[in-house]
Amino acid sequence: MKNTNNNLLYCFYNLNNNSSIIDSCGKVYSSHELKCIVYNVALNMVNKKLDHDIHINSQPTFENIILFIAALHLDKNIVIDDSTQKLSEKVDFEFVFDACHFSEEDYTSFIENNSLVNTNIILYTSGTSGKRKEVLLDNDSLYYQACEIASHLELGIDANQMCYMPLNYVYGLSIITTWLFSNSQLSLTSYQPKDLLKFYNDISFKEITHFSGVPYTYILFNKVKLDSFNLSHLKVLTQAGGYLPSKYKNNLIKCIKNVKFCVMYGQTEFGGRISQAFIKKDSYNERYVGELLNGVYGFCDENDELFIYSPSVCKNNEILNKS
């Protein structure tokens, strides 16, 4: 592969035998099967000669994750939003899943002839603090975030993350990208946190080791008896997306033995994370934002305004000027 040793496509191309995806029905797809499926989907896209951006629905389904990885092979912007794929972008998944003609040589040749490294991913801010903004991130930004977060959370080949958050939410997308980087396992679910018992049973049954949630998620979790579930496999809980009162964090740390709780700070314009703070029960300073990711630094000017630099900052300057 040429010029791809620092992007997500390279990570996918080099997935080892430990890597897999378990879909919401419990079917396990090995790394070889995933490469076969992605290769055929990407080939399908190329053959359609698309002359516009690739729109991918934000729901965290197996098909949408495959579409996202396949779209990385094309020199097109990838727009992740709530829209549905255009007819010209739809893929015959029945054909793809049954495809049996695949070899590493075919895939390598395909990448050499088609993939470029300047793919851009377009996400949208939540709009909670104003008008929703379009944020343009390149492959290098997502790769940097995946590398740093995976390292900080100690995501190794034995990790098993649950993917349930929308892909147009940079926090949700980071679960996909860190899976690509860490050569681990990714588990999908058909449940949402509001389906408390079913959702928790799924976490327990699939032996999830790293779980990510927003304040709403963890407030719901505190409404069930945590000690009634087998959550001994959980190693790390991460939280982003706003303020979560300490009492909820403390209860999770108390009830789930040996779990680490990490609060993650950032914003979409910075590609996701800026800093991450591991906390301990009853010793957490609410003003503490943790350690900056490697390569991120900040300073205050004479007016006490904070300026932050990040290697994963978005590429549309007009957005930065308003942020």
Side-chain angles (χ1 to χ4, degrees):
M1 291 179 64
K2 56 184 179 182
N3 302 323
T4 54
N5 60 331
N6 281 321
N7 69 30
L8 296 175
L9 188 57
Y10 177 83
C11 294
F12 178 74
Y13 181 81
N14 285 283
L15 285 179
N16 62 32
N17 293 332
N18 294 307
S19 299
S20 62
I21 290 181
I22 303 176
D23 71 12
S24 57
C25 297
K27 178 175 174 55
V28 179
Y29 292 89
S30 68
S31 58
H32 180 80
E33 290 173 316
L34 291 171
K35 290 177 185 178
C36 177
I37 294 170
V38 166
Y39 166 67
N40 281 281
V41 172
L43 191 61
N44 184 297
M45 288 178 168
V46 169
N47 290 338
K48 288 179 182 293
K49 297 183 173 17
L50 302 179
D51 59 357
H52 51 72
D53 295 343
I54 307 292
H55 285 257
I56 299 175
N57 185 269
S58 62
Q59 291 304 305
T61 63
F62 180 79
E63 288 82 358
N64 288 337
I65 292 171
I66 292 297
L67 284 170
F68 170 71
I69 299 172
L72 292 174
H73 295 68
L74 280 69
D75 184 21
K76 302 288 183 184
N77 287 335
I78 303 172
V79 182
I80 304 177
D81 54 24
D82 295 326
S83 66
T84 56
Q85 282 81 22
K86 299 175 183 177
L87 287 175
S88 60
E89 296 165 356
K90 288 187 178 296
V91 174
D92 182 359
F93 276 100
E94 290 295 327
F95 162 75
V96 168
F97 290 167
D98 292 337
C100 58
H101 300 294
F102 170 80
S103 69
E104 294 288 341
E105 292 76 18
D106 290 337
Y107 190 26
T108 302
S109 176
F110 174 78
I111 290 176
E112 291 287 345
N113 293 323
N114 292 284
S115 66
L116 298 174
V117 296
N118 58 345
T119 302
N120 293 310
I121 293 85
I122 298 174
L123 306 173
Y124 292 85
T125 58
S126 64
T128 53
S129 59
K131 186 178 179 181
R132 291 185 75 198
K133 299 187 290 286
E134 181 182 281
V135 175
L136 187 116
L137 301 170
D138 64 14
N139 220 313
D140 290 339
S141 295
L142 292 182
Y143 179 89
Y144 163 79
Q145 283 280 323
C147 172
E148 286 302 315
I149 295 173
S151 174
H152 204 87
L153 299 182
E154 299 178 348
L155 283 167
I157 59 175
D158 60 341
N160 183 6
Q161 297 186 81
M162 177 170 278
C163 176
Y164 71 97
M165 287 188 280
L167 305 183
N168 61 333
Y169 182 23
V170 72
Y171 190 29
L173 186 60
S174 72
I175 297 174
I176 310 298
T177 57
T178 52
W179 164 72
L180 283 170
F181 191 87
S182 59
N183 265 307
S184 55
Q185 192 171 75
L186 184 70
S187 292
L188 310 184
T189 180
S190 57
Y191 305 114
Q192 286 294 313
K194 63 182 180 181
D195 306 311
L196 273 176
L197 296 181
K198 292 180 180 178
F199 193 68
Y200 248 122
N201 277 323
D202 219 22
I203 293 174
S204 177
F205 176 74
K206 291 176 179 173
E207 299 187 345
I208 302 302
T209 62
H210 291 69
F211 182 85
S212 304
V214 296
Y216 170 76
T217 310
Y218 290 122
I219 289 173
L220 284 178
F221 277 17
N222 276 270
K223 293 183 178 182
V224 299
K225 293 183 178 180
L226 298 175
D227 53 7
S228 63
F229 296 89
N230 177 18
L231 301 176
S232 59
H233 44 273
L234 269 176
K235 296 180 180 178
V236 177
L237 300 175
T238 68
Q239 180 253 312
Y243 173 70
L244 177 67
S246 292
K247 65 178 182 179
Y248 297 112
K249 294 189 276 271
N250 287 337
N251 188 51
L252 289 166
I253 296 171
K254 174 185 176 182
C255 295
I256 305 176
K257 188 177 181 181
N258 297 322
V259 76
K260 294 180 180 179
F261 198 101
C262 181
V263 182
M264 310 173 85
Y265 298 88
Q267 62 183 132
T268 306
E269 291 89 339
F270 283 90
R273 302 286 71 79
I274 297 173
S275 66
Q276 302 179 139
F278 281 103
I279 66 172
K280 296 181 179 179
K281 185 176 181 295
D282 299 325
S283 63
Y284 177 55
N285 183 340
E286 297 284 359
R287 297 172 62 97
Y288 178 58
V289 297
E291 299 178 0
L292 295 174
L293 298 184
N294 290 329
V296 177
Y297 62 85
F299 65 91
C300 288
D301 66 6
E302 63 275 9
N303 298 316
D304 287 333
E305 287 191 277
L306 177 63
F307 291 83
I308 295 176
Y309 167 80
S310 170
S312 60
V313 71
C314 70
K315 302 305 176 185
N316 27 349
N317 292 327
E318 70 278 8
I319 295 298
L320 286 178
N321 294 332
K322 298 176 183 177
S323 299

